[in-house]
Amino acid sequence: MNLKYALIAVSMCFSCGGTWAQSQIINAYARDNRSLNGEWHAIIDPYERGRHDMWKNRKPQNNNEFREYSFDEGIVLNVPGDFNSQLPELKYYEGTVWYGRYFDMPEPATGETLLLYFAGVANVADIYLNAEKIGHHEGGFTPFQIDITGKVKDKDNFIAVAVNNNRRPDAIPAMNFDWWNYGGITRDVFIIRLPEEHIADYHIRLDKRDPKLIHADVALSRPIAGRSVTISVPELNISKVLTTDSEGKASTSFKAKNLVRWDIDNPKLYDVILTTEKDTVAEEIGFRNIKTEGTEILLNDRPVFLCGVSFHEEIPQRKGRAFSQADAAMLLNEAKDLGVNFIRLAHYPQNEHIVRMAEKMGFMLWEEIPIWQGIDFGNDSTQAKAVRMMSEMVNRDKNRAAIAVWGIANETRPSEARNAFLAKLKETAQSIDDTKLISAAFDNSSWNKDKKCWEINNDPALDLVDIVGINKYVGWYENWRADPSEMGWNVKPEKPLIFTEFGGEALYGRHGNGEAKWSWSEDYQADLYRKNLMMFENVVNLAGVSPWILFDFRSPTRFSPLQGLEFNRKGLTSDRGQRKEAWYLMRDYFNTKNKDR
Ligand code: GCB
């Protein structure tokens, strides 16, 4: 891959799929930032009346005027944070909420750029600054930025954001999904101050196979030739000077003699500093090789069994979206205690705090965009949105050694449109970053009773992936068709296969009828886990397992009071953090597996 392609892909995509903003700045958090987090004024607008002029934030100018809205005296919402969990009347709300806030900002000096950066707004955002529309973005889980240079005043700037979380048939995800549809400015917001000619993008990574060869691509914000860019890695005594071409880009490859590779038991990161005459940006980067060989996944040339788990970007105790460092630590520490080395970040790109902390803790990660059942694959505009989301995700995290897998789909059924759509997503991811593996989670396996095994017939998407992901709920959505010890699997036996989802539901603390699913008992859930682990022993190409899911999570599609209303209870840990019997079972299983490496 090269950065040239990545930048073009992202900027082209910004003009399609209904988004305007410019290509993404890399490593936004490391820049000179002025936070706009905190209390924002808010107006709940279910009838969309504010689209007319609310963003102008007008006040009556004389005694003959009045306005039927006001940001100043109304409700207040915290940013970052979803709105649904902040006020009882917003619990089930799907619609528009207007956010507004004032800020002072000294005009930048000549030669400085100001970028307004949103780490994530769910799901559609229209942004206005001082009564002018400046941006639009769709997709709740990836960052975007707007150049506001020349648009701010020293005092009393007013920013308004119309945030809408309606579900739509052409959106990603679409109308139905099994998690809470949290809306709002759910992630950090800040203004980045930069030299006009700055380092806009870079991709620094280890060669796919060579354990000593580093590749680096850098792009400036302007297409200007002859500029020097220095890349240094002090701990390795490396300092390379590159010169930009007429597009403002430069590339190099060099050997790093004493490189220690990032690994799950030694998540080594190096300080990497990029400098031009006008700009400096610092990073921490890990270097590692990952590939598949036959049915094995090799991390740094050694086979690794993926001991995995998934979680949503949710703090179930608070019934709200996770957004902070503390939230990231809560989720990741529970995963660490379980003994996993791999986390499937379900079902959308989670915030950068989680990704970066996971990398420091030595987790391999699977990242995916929310291609979750029910997607309108035949719709060109939906495809354009998916391509843009994929580009935004891969661009944000391409420098992360922890990312092992780009996931291209969850539970989709073959059709010409779907097959072409997924092929396009793979191509998009790999054109920006080909140092990760490609996978998808398939739920279309069926039982062959003559051969006593599960198979997937005729799904061309199986050829797209490096690792086959299987979602299969035997003992829950599927009944046992044979004794677990006799159940086989015959899906792409020449490639690694991982169970990306399996499990069943239990309410913490409920015991009794271990035979009945409807008992929602820990006994039933634990028994189901035991049987699944037994079945996995028969999978010749097994390369990992990732139970669904670490914590009970909120879902508006779960209606039974017996189940503990509005929660999916497949967690190994309850919504209040109590560990179920199945949690201990999986910990013991992972402990044995991890010993093998
Ligand atoms: C699945 C989905 C996941 C659901 C899960 C369930 O197959 O991928 O998002 O939450 O099943 O619990 O039904």
Side-chain angles (χ1 to χ4, degrees):
M1 111 74 220
N2 75 45
L3 266 191
K4 207 179 282 178
Y5 192 95
L7 286 175
I8 294 168
V10 173
S11 48
M12 281 192 327
C13 287
F14 280 129
S15 58
C16 59
T19 290
W20 29 296
Q22 10 97 302
S23 48
Q24 230 168 294
I25 183 102
I26 195 80
N27 196 8
Y29 280 87
R31 294 305 195 143
D32 178 4
N33 290 334
R34 153 84 197 280
S35 173
L36 292 183
N37 288 349
E39 292 187 339
W40 286 53
H41 303 283
I43 296 173
I44 305 166
D45 182 18
Y47 289 11
E48 297 286 350
R49 294 295 295 258
R51 300 275 171 190
H52 175 57
D53 77 342
M54 206 176 270
W55 38 279
K56 292 184 181 153
N57 190 25
R58 284 207 171 117
K59 321 269 188 238
Q61 300 296 310
N62 56 52
N63 288 347
N64 290 326
E65 284 192 7
F66 62 88
R67 300 277 167 231
E68 290 196 90
Y69 68 81
S70 170
F71 280 95
D72 302 352
E73 293 84 15
I75 58 173
V76 161
L77 291 171
N78 287 317
V79 171
D82 66 89
F83 55 61
N84 305 85
S85 66
Q86 296 194 43
L87 291 173
E89 60 268 39
L90 289 176
K91 178 177 171 190
Y92 297 104
Y93 187 69
E94 295 184 313
T96 293
V97 171
W98 286 83
Y99 284 73
R101 71 162 281 166
Y102 300 91
F103 65 94
D104 298 336
M105 182 94 204
E107 246 305 284
T110 320
E112 277 191 332
T113 293
L114 293 185
L115 300 176
L116 176 59
Y117 184 90
F118 290 87
V121 180
N123 292 317
V124 180
D126 288 289
I127 303 102
Y128 305 82
L129 179 62
N130 298 331
E132 181 197 346
K133 182 157 186 181
I134 55 165
H136 170 84
H137 183 264
E138 178 171 348
F141 306 102
T142 44
F144 60 96
Q145 72 196 31
I146 303 155
D147 190 333
I148 54 167
T149 318
K151 294 187 192 307
V152 294
K153 306 175 284 180
D154 283 358
K155 292 227 158 302
D156 288 333
N157 295 284
F158 186 74
I159 174 169
V161 187
V163 180
N164 180 283
N165 69 333
N166 283 123
R167 284 166 294 122
R168 289 164 229 260
D170 65 343
I172 302 166
M175 294 302 286
N176 187 25
F177 41 91
D178 189 23
W179 64 88
W180 209 268
N181 182 22
Y182 292 114
I185 305 182
T186 50
R187 297 185 186 163
D188 300 310
V189 186
F190 42 84
I191 296 176
I192 311 176
R193 190 178 202 120
L194 293 159
E196 187 188 337
E197 187 184 307
H198 55 263
I199 298 163
D201 199 5
Y202 52 81
H203 189 198
I204 301 172
R205 72 275 176 200
L206 200 56
D207 184 76
K208 280 208 282 189
R209 287 179 193 80
D210 189 327
K212 301 276 179 221
L213 184 63
I214 294 176
H215 301 291
D217 300 300
V218 188
L220 300 182
S221 54
R222 296 202 302 153
I224 185 148
R227 294 291 202 251
S228 296
V229 184
T230 306
I231 302 177
S232 58
V233 190
E235 204 182 327
L236 291 171
N237 282 322
I238 288 171
S239 180
K240 298 280 161 198
V241 183
L242 287 62
T243 306
T244 59
D245 62 16
S246 59
E247 292 181 78
K249 298 184 174 121
S251 294
T252 187
S253 297
F254 50 88
K255 287 271 182 184
K257 258 205 305 197
N258 301 317
L259 185 78
V260 174
R261 287 181 288 182
W262 180 97
D263 210 313
I264 48 177
D265 40 23
N266 179 22
K268 171 77 189 154
L269 298 177
Y270 287 94
D271 287 336
V272 176
I273 299 138
L274 292 96
T275 321
T276 63
E277 197 189 321
K278 302 186 170 142
D279 192 20
T280 295
V281 58
E283 253 288 11
E284 287 178 297
I285 295 190
F287 299 95
R288 57 97 185 100
N289 308 105
I290 194 159
K291 62 182 176 189
T292 62
E293 233 172 58
T295 62
E296 285 183 326
I297 300 168
L298 303 184
L299 175 64
N300 299 330
D301 310 308
R302 280 194 298 157
V304 61
F305 186 85
L306 303 187
C307 296
V309 79
S310 292
F311 55 67
H312 274 289
E313 191 191 43
E314 180 183 64
I315 301 298
Q317 294 93 329
R318 192 174 70 219
K319 296 189 175 161
R321 272 244 177 279
F323 55 78
S324 63
Q325 296 269 359
D327 291 346
M330 193 293 272
L331 294 164
L332 293 167
N333 284 332
E334 184 66 6
K336 197 83 202 166
D337 283 358
L338 185 63
V340 306
N341 58 27
F342 170 76
I343 296 171
R344 177 174 176 220
L345 297 172
H347 276 298
Y348 35 77
Q350 300 196 7
N351 66 62
E352 233 186 302
H353 301 304
I354 293 177
V355 172
R356 286 192 181 252
M357 195 178 287
E359 177 162 87
K360 289 200 168 111
M361 291 170 75
F363 293 113
M364 288 176 283
L365 299 174
W366 163 311
E367 252 197 332
E368 64 191 18
I369 61 168
I371 301 290
W372 191 97
Q373 301 178 5
I375 299 292
D376 188 1
F377 290 118
N379 184 331
D380 289 347
S381 112
T382 303
Q383 183 175 111
K385 286 178 202 174
V387 166
R388 179 177 46 73
M389 270 182 210
M390 183 60 92
S391 309
E392 288 170 349
M393 173 179 83
V394 176
N395 269 305
R396 190 192 72 176
D397 290 338
K398 58 186 178 245
N399 290 304
R400 304 277 68 81
I403 311 273
V405 176
W406 299 126
I408 56 172
N410 181 69
E411 304 189 341
T412 61
R413 295 298 156 98
S415 72
E416 254 177 55
R418 173 281 216 164
N419 302 343
F421 195 113
L422 298 196
K424 182 84 190 155
L425 289 182
K426 172 182 171 172
E427 182 195 317
T428 304
Q430 290 192 323
S431 65
I432 303 169
D433 172 24
D434 67 354
T435 67
K436 278 72 171 169
L437 303 171
I438 298 290
S439 191
F442 295 85
D443 69 333
N444 48 342
S445 53
S446 55
W447 179 243
N448 180 327
K449 76 172 182 316
D450 300 325
K451 295 188 184 153
K452 279 202 169 178
C453 72
W454 297 96
E455 306 174 328
I456 298 181
N457 294 313
N458 300 326
D459 190 338
L462 286 170
D463 296 325
L464 293 175
V465 299
D466 299 307
I467 302 173
V468 177
I470 296 286
N471 292 359
K472 196 74 187 174
Y473 289 85
V474 192
W476 192 253
Y477 297 126
E478 295 276 356
N479 291 328
W480 290 100
R481 309 292 179 89
D483 190 87
S485 62
E486 291 171 3
M487 279 188 146
W489 278 85
N490 183 21
V491 180
K492 285 273 163 194
E494 71 281 10
K495 286 187 183 186
L497 176 152
I498 64 175
F499 283 89
T500 30
E501 292 181 24
F502 68 99
E505 304 210 6
L507 267 180
Y508 171 77
R510 185 171 294 168
H511 290 279
N513 199 343
E515 304 285 299
K517 294 179 186 173
W518 51 259
S519 69
W520 271 283
S521 70
E522 283 196 52
D523 313 72
Y524 185 88
Q525 190 194 40
D527 186 56
L528 172 155
Y529 268 86
R530 263 181 224 109
K531 288 179 173 148
N532 272 276
L533 296 182
M534 202 181 289
M535 175 181 74
F536 297 157
E537 295 299 309
N538 306 329
V539 185
V540 285
N541 47 342
L542 188 73
V545 304
S546 181
W548 186 255
I549 184 172
L550 186 57
F551 285 97
D552 289 351
F553 62 96
R554 290 179 82 209
S555 170
T557 68
R558 310 285 165 173
F559 308 104
S560 169
L562 281 177
Q563 191 180 6
L565 208 60
E566 292 177 351
F567 268 96
N568 182 317
R569 295 290 176 189
K570 294 195 186 68
L572 296 172
T573 304
S574 79
D575 55 310
R576 294 190 221 145
Q578 301 130 318
R579 294 169 180 172
K580 304 179 194 174
E581 203 178 321
W583 189 96
Y584 294 95
L585 224 126
M586 284 313 299
R587 185 205 47 192
D588 294 349
Y589 175 80
F590 289 145
N591 279 348
T592 9
K593 288 285 175 191
N594 281 334
K595 279 204 193 83
D596 297 345
R597 190 162 190 255

